[in-house]
Amino acid sequence: MQQILDQVKEIDVQSEEIDFQSEVYKDAYSRINAIVIEGEQEAHENYITLSQLLPAQAEELIRLSKMESRHKKGFEACGRNLKVTPDLEFAKEFFSGLHKNFQTAAAEGKIVTCLLIQSLIIECFAIAAYNIYIPVADDFARKITEGVVKEEYSHLNFGEVWLQKNFTESKAELEQANRQNLPIVWKMLNEVADDAKVLAMEKDALVEDFMIQYGEALSNIGFTTRDIMRLSAYGLAT
Ligand code: Y39
Ligand code: FE
Ligand code: FE
Ligand code: FE
């Protein structure tokens, strides 16, 4: 218990020491905030696309897509609160690899690949980033992010449940989609590492949290520990 209290205190001190109004903080925030806003926008669109690919679950998927637009509004407010203008052009470029792969998969009716990209990879990336951000966020953004991350777990759960039910038929496509898309995630993490560091978010912590979330998701779907080791580190060469 004392250990937990010390940890909480340490986190508190850490976020008190950050100057949220410094130019260097606001500059880094203009990109990270944009990434999150663009990510939420694309997630919104991706769940609408998934609702067309999975008409039996359209109602639930539309519900998820609406949550994503609320998340976007929340993060826009975080940027306004710090008087930061998000660099949305940078963010579009940042997501272009996963975006293109999702679009192509959707056009080919590859539901498994779409679910892997949005509901596993992007949701795990979001959960890792939001969990690492919460202790070092300004008070306004912390409250918003705490509300958002709870919902991201339910989006991840949607993908896990569907892929677990259809595991046998999906396995080969999951392997292939993982090989195609996981290296893109490591590249994205490298691209954002310096800006994240300015916000007091360490790259190692982001990688670790992502691997934990993603590994747990793969396990829930039905992969063996051996498969998970191989899949979750694919393309990671730091
Ligand atoms: O499902 C979702 O809501 C995910 C789209 C949102 C993307 C979040 C992307 C977070 C990456 C931030 C990297 C900061 C270090
Ligand atoms: Fe979201
Ligand atoms: Fe999100
Ligand atoms: Fe989400």
Side-chain angles (χ1 to χ4, degrees), residues 31-32 34-43 46 88-102 117-118 122 125-126 130 184 187-188 191:
R31 286 177 295 277
I32 304 251
I35 286 170
V36 170
I37 290 167
E38 174 65 20
E40 298 292 355
Q41 174 62 33
E42 293 193 16
N46 289 349
L88 292 170
E89 213 170 304
F90 170 85
K92 265 205 161 54
E93 180 61 32
F94 181 80
F95 273 107
S96 61
L98 292 181
H99 182 78
K100 196 176 93 233
N101 289 347
F102 184 95
I117 293 173
Q118 175 58 47
I122 298 180
F125 193 21
Y130 297 163
I184 299 177
K187 185 176 140 263
M188 291 164 84
E191 282 171 9

PDB file of all heavy atoms in Angstrom, residues 31-32 34-43 46 88-102 117-118 122 125-126 130 184 187-188 191:
ATOM      1  N   ARG A  31       1.538  18.290 -32.639  1.00  0.00           N
ATOM      2  CA  ARG A  31       1.595  17.063 -33.442  1.00  0.00           C
ATOM      3  C   ARG A  31       0.906  15.887 -32.745  1.00  0.00           C
ATOM      4  O   ARG A  31       0.121  15.164 -33.355  1.00  0.00           O
ATOM      5  CB  ARG A  31       3.046  16.729 -33.799  1.00  0.00           C
ATOM      6  CG  ARG A  31       3.616  17.663 -34.882  1.00  0.00           C
ATOM      7  CD  ARG A  31       5.065  17.391 -35.193  1.00  0.00           C
ATOM      8  NE  ARG A  31       5.938  17.672 -34.077  1.00  0.00           N
ATOM      9  CZ  ARG A  31       6.396  18.897 -33.779  1.00  0.00           C
ATOM     10  NH1 ARG A  31       6.082  19.921 -34.528  1.00  0.00           N
ATOM     11  NH2 ARG A  31       7.173  19.068 -32.731  1.00  0.00           N
ATOM     12  N   ILE A  32       1.177  15.685 -31.474  1.00  0.00           N
ATOM     13  CA  ILE A  32       0.556  14.549 -30.765  1.00  0.00           C
ATOM     14  C   ILE A  32      -0.961  14.734 -30.703  1.00  0.00           C
ATOM     15  O   ILE A  32      -1.724  13.806 -30.951  1.00  0.00           O
ATOM     16  CB  ILE A  32       1.137  14.410 -29.343  1.00  0.00           C
ATOM     17  CG1 ILE A  32       2.654  14.268 -29.419  1.00  0.00           C
ATOM     18  CG2 ILE A  32       0.450  13.258 -28.602  1.00  0.00           C
ATOM     19  CD1 ILE A  32       3.249  12.946 -29.110  1.00  0.00           C
ATOM     20  N   ALA A  34      -2.778  16.374 -32.764  1.00  0.00           N
ATOM     21  CA  ALA A  34      -3.298  16.162 -34.113  1.00  0.00           C
ATOM     22  C   ALA A  34      -3.385  14.668 -34.441  1.00  0.00           C
ATOM     23  O   ALA A  34      -4.360  14.214 -35.045  1.00  0.00           O
ATOM     24  CB  ALA A  34      -2.411  16.857 -35.140  1.00  0.00           C
ATOM     25  N   ILE A  35      -2.384  13.913 -34.027  1.00  0.00           N
ATOM     26  CA  ILE A  35      -2.383  12.464 -34.260  1.00  0.00           C
ATOM     27  C   ILE A  35      -3.619  11.846 -33.621  1.00  0.00           C
ATOM     28  O   ILE A  35      -4.317  11.020 -34.219  1.00  0.00           O
ATOM     29  CB  ILE A  35      -1.096  11.820 -33.683  1.00  0.00           C
ATOM     30  CG1 ILE A  35       0.105  12.142 -34.577  1.00  0.00           C
ATOM     31  CG2 ILE A  35      -1.256  10.324 -33.508  1.00  0.00           C
ATOM     32  CD1 ILE A  35       1.452  11.745 -33.967  1.00  0.00           C
ATOM     33  N   VAL A  36      -3.893  12.259 -32.407  1.00  0.00           N
ATOM     34  CA  VAL A  36      -5.024  11.684 -31.682  1.00  0.00           C
ATOM     35  C   VAL A  36      -6.351  12.109 -32.335  1.00  0.00           C
ATOM     36  O   VAL A  36      -7.251  11.287 -32.523  1.00  0.00           O
ATOM     37  CB  VAL A  36      -4.945  12.090 -30.191  1.00  0.00           C
ATOM     38  CG1 VAL A  36      -6.209  11.720 -29.473  1.00  0.00           C
ATOM     39  CG2 VAL A  36      -3.738  11.432 -29.524  1.00  0.00           C
ATOM     40  N   ILE A  37      -6.460  13.378 -32.713  1.00  0.00           N
ATOM     41  CA  ILE A  37      -7.680  13.867 -33.371  1.00  0.00           C
ATOM     42  C   ILE A  37      -7.892  13.138 -34.700  1.00  0.00           C
ATOM     43  O   ILE A  37      -8.991  12.632 -34.979  1.00  0.00           O
ATOM     44  CB  ILE A  37      -7.599  15.396 -33.606  1.00  0.00           C
ATOM     45  CG1 ILE A  37      -7.686  16.140 -32.265  1.00  0.00           C
ATOM     46  CG2 ILE A  37      -8.708  15.868 -34.544  1.00  0.00           C
ATOM     47  CD1 ILE A  37      -7.313  17.626 -32.347  1.00  0.00           C
ATOM     48  N   GLU A  38      -6.850  13.068 -35.522  1.00  0.00           N
ATOM     49  CA  GLU A  38      -6.953  12.368 -36.806  1.00  0.00           C
ATOM     50  C   GLU A  38      -7.234  10.872 -36.582  1.00  0.00           C
ATOM     51  O   GLU A  38      -8.046  10.274 -37.290  1.00  0.00           O
ATOM     52  CB  GLU A  38      -5.653  12.565 -37.611  1.00  0.00           C
ATOM     53  CG  GLU A  38      -5.554  11.768 -38.906  1.00  0.00           C
ATOM     54  CD  GLU A  38      -6.581  12.164 -39.964  1.00  0.00           C
ATOM     55  OE1 GLU A  38      -7.136  13.272 -39.899  1.00  0.00           O
ATOM     56  OE2 GLU A  38      -6.828  11.315 -40.863  1.00  0.00           O
ATOM     57  N   GLY A  39      -6.568  10.281 -35.595  1.00  0.00           N
ATOM     58  CA  GLY A  39      -6.792   8.865 -35.278  1.00  0.00           C
ATOM     59  C   GLY A  39      -8.241   8.597 -34.923  1.00  0.00           C
ATOM     60  O   GLY A  39      -8.854   7.634 -35.410  1.00  0.00           O
ATOM     61  N   GLU A  40      -8.818   9.462 -34.086  1.00  0.00           N
ATOM     62  CA  GLU A  40     -10.223   9.294 -33.688  1.00  0.00           C
ATOM     63  C   GLU A  40     -11.145   9.476 -34.893  1.00  0.00           C
ATOM     64  O   GLU A  40     -12.142   8.761 -35.029  1.00  0.00           O
ATOM     65  CB  GLU A  40     -10.588  10.281 -32.566  1.00  0.00           C
ATOM     66  CG  GLU A  40      -9.803  10.095 -31.263  1.00  0.00           C
ATOM     67  CD  GLU A  40     -10.139   8.798 -30.519  1.00  0.00           C
ATOM     68  OE1 GLU A  40     -11.055   8.072 -30.955  1.00  0.00           O
ATOM     69  OE2 GLU A  40      -9.463   8.505 -29.526  1.00  0.00           O
ATOM     70  N   GLN A  41     -10.831  10.426 -35.760  1.00  0.00           N
ATOM     71  CA  GLN A  41     -11.631  10.642 -36.974  1.00  0.00           C
ATOM     72  C   GLN A  41     -11.589   9.396 -37.869  1.00  0.00           C
ATOM     73  O   GLN A  41     -12.626   8.925 -38.352  1.00  0.00           O
ATOM     74  CB  GLN A  41     -11.103  11.866 -37.739  1.00  0.00           C
ATOM     75  CG  GLN A  41     -11.761  12.111 -39.096  1.00  0.00           C
ATOM     76  CD  GLN A  41     -13.255  12.374 -38.996  1.00  0.00           C
ATOM     77  OE1 GLN A  41     -13.733  12.961 -38.031  1.00  0.00           O
ATOM     78  NE2 GLN A  41     -14.015  11.917 -39.991  1.00  0.00           N
ATOM     79  N   GLU A  42     -10.394   8.864 -38.073  1.00  0.00           N
ATOM     80  CA  GLU A  42     -10.263   7.669 -38.924  1.00  0.00           C
ATOM     81  C   GLU A  42     -10.923   6.455 -38.277  1.00  0.00           C
ATOM     82  O   GLU A  42     -11.522   5.627 -38.963  1.00  0.00           O
ATOM     83  CB  GLU A  42      -8.781   7.407 -39.248  1.00  0.00           C
ATOM     84  CG  GLU A  42      -8.212   8.509 -40.146  1.00  0.00           C
ATOM     85  CD  GLU A  42      -6.850   8.174 -40.760  1.00  0.00           C
ATOM     86  OE1 GLU A  42      -6.454   6.992 -40.754  1.00  0.00           O
ATOM     87  OE2 GLU A  42      -6.189   9.111 -41.242  1.00  0.00           O
ATOM     88  N   ALA A  43     -10.820   6.368 -36.945  1.00  0.00           N
ATOM     89  CA  ALA A  43     -11.488   5.271 -36.235  1.00  0.00           C
ATOM     90  C   ALA A  43     -13.005   5.365 -36.448  1.00  0.00           C
ATOM     91  O   ALA A  43     -13.678   4.351 -36.692  1.00  0.00           O
ATOM     92  CB  ALA A  43     -11.143   5.314 -34.746  1.00  0.00           C
ATOM     93  N   ASN A  46     -13.624   4.149 -39.884  1.00  0.00           N
ATOM     94  CA  ASN A  46     -13.365   2.712 -39.992  1.00  0.00           C
ATOM     95  C   ASN A  46     -14.521   1.886 -39.418  1.00  0.00           C
ATOM     96  O   ASN A  46     -14.865   0.833 -39.964  1.00  0.00           O
ATOM     97  CB  ASN A  46     -12.057   2.351 -39.282  1.00  0.00           C
ATOM     98  CG  ASN A  46     -10.827   2.875 -40.028  1.00  0.00           C
ATOM     99  OD1 ASN A  46     -10.933   3.329 -41.171  1.00  0.00           O
ATOM    100  ND2 ASN A  46      -9.670   2.824 -39.385  1.00  0.00           N
ATOM    101  N   LEU A  88      -2.765  18.968 -38.452  1.00  0.00           N
ATOM    102  CA  LEU A  88      -3.536  17.842 -38.990  1.00  0.00           C
ATOM    103  C   LEU A  88      -2.918  17.250 -40.249  1.00  0.00           C
ATOM    104  O   LEU A  88      -3.110  16.067 -40.540  1.00  0.00           O
ATOM    105  CB  LEU A  88      -4.984  18.277 -39.238  1.00  0.00           C
ATOM    106  CG  LEU A  88      -5.769  18.576 -37.954  1.00  0.00           C
ATOM    107  CD1 LEU A  88      -7.100  19.233 -38.271  1.00  0.00           C
ATOM    108  CD2 LEU A  88      -5.988  17.309 -37.116  1.00  0.00           C
ATOM    109  N   GLU A  89      -2.177  18.056 -40.975  1.00  0.00           N
ATOM    110  CA  GLU A  89      -1.524  17.546 -42.176  1.00  0.00           C
ATOM    111  C   GLU A  89      -0.457  16.510 -41.789  1.00  0.00           C
ATOM    112  O   GLU A  89      -0.358  15.447 -42.402  1.00  0.00           O
ATOM    113  CB  GLU A  89      -0.881  18.708 -42.931  1.00  0.00           C
ATOM    114  CG  GLU A  89      -0.896  18.531 -44.431  1.00  0.00           C
ATOM    115  CD  GLU A  89      -0.482  19.816 -45.117  1.00  0.00           C
ATOM    116  OE1 GLU A  89      -1.129  20.855 -44.866  1.00  0.00           O
ATOM    117  OE2 GLU A  89       0.504  19.760 -45.867  1.00  0.00           O
ATOM    118  N   PHE A  90       0.308  16.853 -40.768  1.00  0.00           N
ATOM    119  CA  PHE A  90       1.298  15.913 -40.235  1.00  0.00           C
ATOM    120  C   PHE A  90       0.612  14.601 -39.808  1.00  0.00           C
ATOM    121  O   PHE A  90       1.102  13.503 -40.097  1.00  0.00           O
ATOM    122  CB  PHE A  90       2.024  16.554 -39.048  1.00  0.00           C
ATOM    123  CG  PHE A  90       2.889  15.602 -38.278  1.00  0.00           C
ATOM    124  CD1 PHE A  90       4.188  15.339 -38.676  1.00  0.00           C
ATOM    125  CD2 PHE A  90       2.388  14.951 -37.149  1.00  0.00           C
ATOM    126  CE1 PHE A  90       4.982  14.436 -37.971  1.00  0.00           C
ATOM    127  CE2 PHE A  90       3.172  14.047 -36.440  1.00  0.00           C
ATOM    128  CZ  PHE A  90       4.471  13.788 -36.842  1.00  0.00           C
ATOM    129  N   ALA A  91      -0.524  14.736 -39.141  1.00  0.00           N
ATOM    130  CA  ALA A  91      -1.213  13.564 -38.603  1.00  0.00           C
ATOM    131  C   ALA A  91      -1.761  12.659 -39.706  1.00  0.00           C
ATOM    132  O   ALA A  91      -1.722  11.429 -39.593  1.00  0.00           O
ATOM    133  CB  ALA A  91      -2.339  14.006 -37.675  1.00  0.00           C
ATOM    134  N   LYS A  92      -2.262  13.256 -40.768  1.00  0.00           N
ATOM    135  CA  LYS A  92      -2.775  12.473 -41.906  1.00  0.00           C
ATOM    136  C   LYS A  92      -1.661  11.620 -42.489  1.00  0.00           C
ATOM    137  O   LYS A  92      -1.849  10.436 -42.789  1.00  0.00           O
ATOM    138  CB  LYS A  92      -3.320  13.420 -42.989  1.00  0.00           C
ATOM    139  CG  LYS A  92      -4.802  13.661 -42.907  1.00  0.00           C
ATOM    140  CD  LYS A  92      -5.348  14.064 -44.284  1.00  0.00           C
ATOM    141  CE  LYS A  92      -6.836  13.877 -44.404  1.00  0.00           C
ATOM    142  NZ  LYS A  92      -7.676  14.491 -43.441  1.00  0.00           N
ATOM    143  N   GLU A  93      -0.498  12.247 -42.653  1.00  0.00           N
ATOM    144  CA  GLU A  93       0.679  11.543 -43.160  1.00  0.00           C
ATOM    145  C   GLU A  93       1.088  10.424 -42.193  1.00  0.00           C
ATOM    146  O   GLU A  93       1.406   9.306 -42.608  1.00  0.00           O
ATOM    147  CB  GLU A  93       1.814  12.565 -43.358  1.00  0.00           C
ATOM    148  CG  GLU A  93       3.102  12.001 -43.885  1.00  0.00           C
ATOM    149  CD  GLU A  93       2.962  11.362 -45.265  1.00  0.00           C
ATOM    150  OE1 GLU A  93       2.119  11.836 -46.051  1.00  0.00           O
ATOM    151  OE2 GLU A  93       3.699  10.383 -45.533  1.00  0.00           O
ATOM    152  N   PHE A  94       1.031  10.733 -40.907  1.00  0.00           N
ATOM    153  CA  PHE A  94       1.396   9.766 -39.864  1.00  0.00           C
ATOM    154  C   PHE A  94       0.567   8.490 -39.967  1.00  0.00           C
ATOM    155  O   PHE A  94       1.072   7.387 -39.801  1.00  0.00           O
ATOM    156  CB  PHE A  94       1.198  10.429 -38.491  1.00  0.00           C
ATOM    157  CG  PHE A  94       1.544   9.575 -37.303  1.00  0.00           C
ATOM    158  CD1 PHE A  94       2.866   9.410 -36.901  1.00  0.00           C
ATOM    159  CD2 PHE A  94       0.540   8.957 -36.563  1.00  0.00           C
ATOM    160  CE1 PHE A  94       3.186   8.630 -35.794  1.00  0.00           C
ATOM    161  CE2 PHE A  94       0.856   8.180 -35.453  1.00  0.00           C
ATOM    162  CZ  PHE A  94       2.172   8.015 -35.069  1.00  0.00           C
ATOM    163  N   PHE A  95      -0.732   8.633 -40.274  1.00  0.00           N
ATOM    164  CA  PHE A  95      -1.640   7.480 -40.336  1.00  0.00           C
ATOM    165  C   PHE A  95      -1.757   6.867 -41.732  1.00  0.00           C
ATOM    166  O   PHE A  95      -2.471   5.874 -41.910  1.00  0.00           O
ATOM    167  CB  PHE A  95      -3.039   7.874 -39.849  1.00  0.00           C
ATOM    168  CG  PHE A  95      -3.202   7.752 -38.356  1.00  0.00           C
ATOM    169  CD1 PHE A  95      -3.265   8.879 -37.562  1.00  0.00           C
ATOM    170  CD2 PHE A  95      -3.280   6.508 -37.748  1.00  0.00           C
ATOM    171  CE1 PHE A  95      -3.407   8.772 -36.181  1.00  0.00           C
ATOM    172  CE2 PHE A  95      -3.422   6.382 -36.383  1.00  0.00           C
ATOM    173  CZ  PHE A  95      -3.488   7.520 -35.591  1.00  0.00           C
ATOM    174  N   SER A  96      -1.053   7.469 -42.722  1.00  0.00           N
ATOM    175  CA  SER A  96      -1.342   7.089 -44.116  1.00  0.00           C
ATOM    176  C   SER A  96      -1.102   5.601 -44.406  1.00  0.00           C
ATOM    177  O   SER A  96      -1.856   5.000 -45.174  1.00  0.00           O
ATOM    178  CB  SER A  96      -0.543   7.968 -45.076  1.00  0.00           C
ATOM    179  OG  SER A  96       0.832   7.789 -44.831  1.00  0.00           O
ATOM    180  N   GLY A  97      -0.098   5.003 -43.790  1.00  0.00           N
ATOM    181  CA  GLY A  97       0.190   3.587 -44.044  1.00  0.00           C
ATOM    182  C   GLY A  97      -0.950   2.677 -43.605  1.00  0.00           C
ATOM    183  O   GLY A  97      -1.475   1.874 -44.396  1.00  0.00           O
ATOM    184  N   LEU A  98      -1.357   2.811 -42.361  1.00  0.00           N
ATOM    185  CA  LEU A  98      -2.459   1.989 -41.851  1.00  0.00           C
ATOM    186  C   LEU A  98      -3.757   2.339 -42.565  1.00  0.00           C
ATOM    187  O   LEU A  98      -4.586   1.467 -42.853  1.00  0.00           O
ATOM    188  CB  LEU A  98      -2.624   2.187 -40.343  1.00  0.00           C
ATOM    189  CG  LEU A  98      -1.506   1.661 -39.438  1.00  0.00           C
ATOM    190  CD1 LEU A  98      -1.838   1.905 -37.970  1.00  0.00           C
ATOM    191  CD2 LEU A  98      -1.245   0.172 -39.678  1.00  0.00           C
ATOM    192  N   HIS A  99      -3.922   3.629 -42.869  1.00  0.00           N
ATOM    193  CA  HIS A  99      -5.142   4.088 -43.541  1.00  0.00           C
ATOM    194  C   HIS A  99      -5.291   3.401 -44.906  1.00  0.00           C
ATOM    195  O   HIS A  99      -6.342   2.867 -45.236  1.00  0.00           O
ATOM    196  CB  HIS A  99      -5.104   5.605 -43.709  1.00  0.00           C
ATOM    197  CG  HIS A  99      -6.326   6.172 -44.349  1.00  0.00           C
ATOM    198  ND1 HIS A  99      -7.500   6.347 -43.663  1.00  0.00           N
ATOM    199  CD2 HIS A  99      -6.558   6.583 -45.623  1.00  0.00           C
ATOM    200  CE1 HIS A  99      -8.416   6.840 -44.486  1.00  0.00           C
ATOM    201  NE2 HIS A  99      -7.869   6.994 -45.686  1.00  0.00           N
ATOM    202  N   LYS A 100      -4.216   3.420 -45.654  1.00  0.00           N
ATOM    203  CA  LYS A 100      -4.228   2.827 -46.995  1.00  0.00           C
ATOM    204  C   LYS A 100      -4.502   1.323 -46.909  1.00  0.00           C
ATOM    205  O   LYS A 100      -5.323   0.781 -47.657  1.00  0.00           O
ATOM    206  CB  LYS A 100      -2.881   3.092 -47.680  1.00  0.00           C
ATOM    207  CG  LYS A 100      -2.886   2.880 -49.174  1.00  0.00           C
ATOM    208  CD  LYS A 100      -1.553   3.264 -49.800  1.00  0.00           C
ATOM    209  CE  LYS A 100      -0.662   2.070 -49.907  1.00  0.00           C
ATOM    210  NZ  LYS A 100       0.635   2.002 -49.427  1.00  0.00           N
ATOM    211  N   ASN A 101      -3.836   0.654 -45.986  1.00  0.00           N
ATOM    212  CA  ASN A 101      -4.036  -0.791 -45.852  1.00  0.00           C
ATOM    213  C   ASN A 101      -5.458  -1.138 -45.431  1.00  0.00           C
ATOM    214  O   ASN A 101      -6.015  -2.147 -45.867  1.00  0.00           O
ATOM    215  CB  ASN A 101      -3.024  -1.378 -44.858  1.00  0.00           C
ATOM    216  CG  ASN A 101      -1.620  -1.380 -45.428  1.00  0.00           C
ATOM    217  OD1 ASN A 101      -1.419  -1.172 -46.621  1.00  0.00           O
ATOM    218  ND2 ASN A 101      -0.627  -1.602 -44.570  1.00  0.00           N
ATOM    219  N   PHE A 102      -6.048  -0.306 -44.586  1.00  0.00           N
ATOM    220  CA  PHE A 102      -7.441  -0.536 -44.178  1.00  0.00           C
ATOM    221  C   PHE A 102      -8.375  -0.370 -45.379  1.00  0.00           C
ATOM    222  O   PHE A 102      -9.262  -1.189 -45.612  1.00  0.00           O
ATOM    223  CB  PHE A 102      -7.842   0.416 -43.047  1.00  0.00           C
ATOM    224  CG  PHE A 102      -9.233   0.157 -42.509  1.00  0.00           C
ATOM    225  CD1 PHE A 102      -9.418  -0.642 -41.380  1.00  0.00           C
ATOM    226  CD2 PHE A 102     -10.357   0.694 -43.134  1.00  0.00           C
ATOM    227  CE1 PHE A 102     -10.703  -0.908 -40.896  1.00  0.00           C
ATOM    228  CE2 PHE A 102     -11.640   0.448 -42.654  1.00  0.00           C
ATOM    229  CZ  PHE A 102     -11.817  -0.351 -41.528  1.00  0.00           C
ATOM    230  N   ILE A 117      -6.436  -4.341 -38.121  1.00  0.00           N
ATOM    231  CA  ILE A 117      -5.871  -2.987 -38.181  1.00  0.00           C
ATOM    232  C   ILE A 117      -6.561  -2.061 -37.178  1.00  0.00           C
ATOM    233  O   ILE A 117      -5.908  -1.417 -36.354  1.00  0.00           O
ATOM    234  CB  ILE A 117      -5.963  -2.404 -39.610  1.00  0.00           C
ATOM    235  CG1 ILE A 117      -5.059  -3.193 -40.571  1.00  0.00           C
ATOM    236  CG2 ILE A 117      -5.570  -0.916 -39.609  1.00  0.00           C
ATOM    237  CD1 ILE A 117      -5.207  -2.800 -42.045  1.00  0.00           C
ATOM    238  N   GLN A 118      -7.892  -1.962 -37.239  1.00  0.00           N
ATOM    239  CA  GLN A 118      -8.585  -0.997 -36.374  1.00  0.00           C
ATOM    240  C   GLN A 118      -8.753  -1.513 -34.941  1.00  0.00           C
ATOM    241  O   GLN A 118      -8.307  -0.859 -33.995  1.00  0.00           O
ATOM    242  CB  GLN A 118      -9.949  -0.605 -36.956  1.00  0.00           C
ATOM    243  CG  GLN A 118     -10.770   0.311 -36.037  1.00  0.00           C
ATOM    244  CD  GLN A 118     -10.051   1.607 -35.674  1.00  0.00           C
ATOM    245  OE1 GLN A 118      -9.501   2.262 -36.562  1.00  0.00           O
ATOM    246  NE2 GLN A 118     -10.017   1.979 -34.390  1.00  0.00           N
ATOM    247  N   ILE A 122      -4.761  -0.530 -33.838  1.00  0.00           N
ATOM    248  CA  ILE A 122      -4.972   0.891 -33.523  1.00  0.00           C
ATOM    249  C   ILE A 122      -5.535   1.055 -32.113  1.00  0.00           C
ATOM    250  O   ILE A 122      -5.114   1.949 -31.371  1.00  0.00           O
ATOM    251  CB  ILE A 122      -5.847   1.594 -34.589  1.00  0.00           C
ATOM    252  CG1 ILE A 122      -5.132   1.551 -35.954  1.00  0.00           C
ATOM    253  CG2 ILE A 122      -6.138   3.043 -34.190  1.00  0.00           C
ATOM    254  CD1 ILE A 122      -5.888   2.208 -37.111  1.00  0.00           C
ATOM    255  N   PHE A 125      -2.738   0.531 -29.653  1.00  0.00           N
ATOM    256  CA  PHE A 125      -1.864   1.707 -29.731  1.00  0.00           C
ATOM    257  C   PHE A 125      -2.486   2.854 -28.927  1.00  0.00           C
ATOM    258  O   PHE A 125      -1.816   3.531 -28.137  1.00  0.00           O
ATOM    259  CB  PHE A 125      -1.686   2.092 -31.205  1.00  0.00           C
ATOM    260  CG  PHE A 125      -0.583   3.079 -31.489  1.00  0.00           C
ATOM    261  CD1 PHE A 125       0.477   3.285 -30.621  1.00  0.00           C
ATOM    262  CD2 PHE A 125      -0.599   3.803 -32.681  1.00  0.00           C
ATOM    263  CE1 PHE A 125       1.492   4.198 -30.921  1.00  0.00           C
ATOM    264  CE2 PHE A 125       0.406   4.717 -32.988  1.00  0.00           C
ATOM    265  CZ  PHE A 125       1.445   4.918 -32.091  1.00  0.00           C
ATOM    266  N   ALA A 126      -3.776   3.055 -29.114  1.00  0.00           N
ATOM    267  CA  ALA A 126      -4.489   4.116 -28.389  1.00  0.00           C
ATOM    268  C   ALA A 126      -4.475   3.847 -26.887  1.00  0.00           C
ATOM    269  O   ALA A 126      -4.169   4.745 -26.083  1.00  0.00           O
ATOM    270  CB  ALA A 126      -5.925   4.226 -28.900  1.00  0.00           C
ATOM    271  N   TYR A 130      -2.790   6.345 -24.288  1.00  0.00           N
ATOM    272  CA  TYR A 130      -3.633   7.054 -23.322  1.00  0.00           C
ATOM    273  C   TYR A 130      -3.238   6.682 -21.889  1.00  0.00           C
ATOM    274  O   TYR A 130      -3.202   7.536 -21.006  1.00  0.00           O
ATOM    275  CB  TYR A 130      -5.122   6.776 -23.590  1.00  0.00           C
ATOM    276  CG  TYR A 130      -5.603   7.275 -24.951  1.00  0.00           C
ATOM    277  CD1 TYR A 130      -6.790   6.812 -25.517  1.00  0.00           C
ATOM    278  CD2 TYR A 130      -4.868   8.213 -25.681  1.00  0.00           C
ATOM    279  CE1 TYR A 130      -7.230   7.261 -26.766  1.00  0.00           C
ATOM    280  CE2 TYR A 130      -5.295   8.665 -26.923  1.00  0.00           C
ATOM    281  CZ  TYR A 130      -6.480   8.184 -27.460  1.00  0.00           C
ATOM    282  OH  TYR A 130      -6.908   8.629 -28.683  1.00  0.00           O
ATOM    283  N   ILE A 184       4.591  -1.198 -39.455  1.00  0.00           N
ATOM    284  CA  ILE A 184       4.150   0.201 -39.609  1.00  0.00           C
ATOM    285  C   ILE A 184       3.967   0.843 -38.226  1.00  0.00           C
ATOM    286  O   ILE A 184       4.299   2.010 -38.022  1.00  0.00           O
ATOM    287  CB  ILE A 184       2.846   0.278 -40.437  1.00  0.00           C
ATOM    288  CG1 ILE A 184       3.095  -0.297 -41.843  1.00  0.00           C
ATOM    289  CG2 ILE A 184       2.316   1.713 -40.517  1.00  0.00           C
ATOM    290  CD1 ILE A 184       1.852  -0.341 -42.726  1.00  0.00           C
ATOM    291  N   LYS A 187       7.251   1.825 -36.774  1.00  0.00           N
ATOM    292  CA  LYS A 187       7.729   3.018 -37.469  1.00  0.00           C
ATOM    293  C   LYS A 187       7.001   4.262 -36.924  1.00  0.00           C
ATOM    294  O   LYS A 187       7.615   5.301 -36.669  1.00  0.00           O
ATOM    295  CB  LYS A 187       7.471   2.845 -38.979  1.00  0.00           C
ATOM    296  CG  LYS A 187       8.026   3.965 -39.839  1.00  0.00           C
ATOM    297  CD  LYS A 187       7.813   3.659 -41.342  1.00  0.00           C
ATOM    298  CE  LYS A 187       7.406   4.871 -42.118  1.00  0.00           C
ATOM    299  NZ  LYS A 187       5.997   5.093 -42.380  1.00  0.00           N
ATOM    300  N   MET A 188       5.700   4.136 -36.718  1.00  0.00           N
ATOM    301  CA  MET A 188       4.924   5.251 -36.166  1.00  0.00           C
ATOM    302  C   MET A 188       5.432   5.629 -34.773  1.00  0.00           C
ATOM    303  O   MET A 188       5.559   6.806 -34.432  1.00  0.00           O
ATOM    304  CB  MET A 188       3.431   4.892 -36.116  1.00  0.00           C
ATOM    305  CG  MET A 188       2.785   4.787 -37.498  1.00  0.00           C
ATOM    306  SD  MET A 188       1.199   3.915 -37.439  1.00  0.00           S
ATOM    307  CE  MET A 188       0.092   5.255 -36.979  1.00  0.00           C
ATOM    308  N   GLU A 191       8.538   7.565 -35.043  1.00  0.00           N
ATOM    309  CA  GLU A 191       8.292   8.920 -35.549  1.00  0.00           C
ATOM    310  C   GLU A 191       7.779   9.863 -34.456  1.00  0.00           C
ATOM    311  O   GLU A 191       7.978  11.074 -34.542  1.00  0.00           O
ATOM    312  CB  GLU A 191       7.276   8.881 -36.698  1.00  0.00           C
ATOM    313  CG  GLU A 191       7.883   8.431 -38.014  1.00  0.00           C
ATOM    314  CD  GLU A 191       6.831   8.182 -39.081  1.00  0.00           C
ATOM    315  OE1 GLU A 191       5.638   8.517 -38.858  1.00  0.00           O
ATOM    316  OE2 GLU A 191       7.198   7.632 -40.122  1.00  0.00           O
TER     317      GLU A 191
END
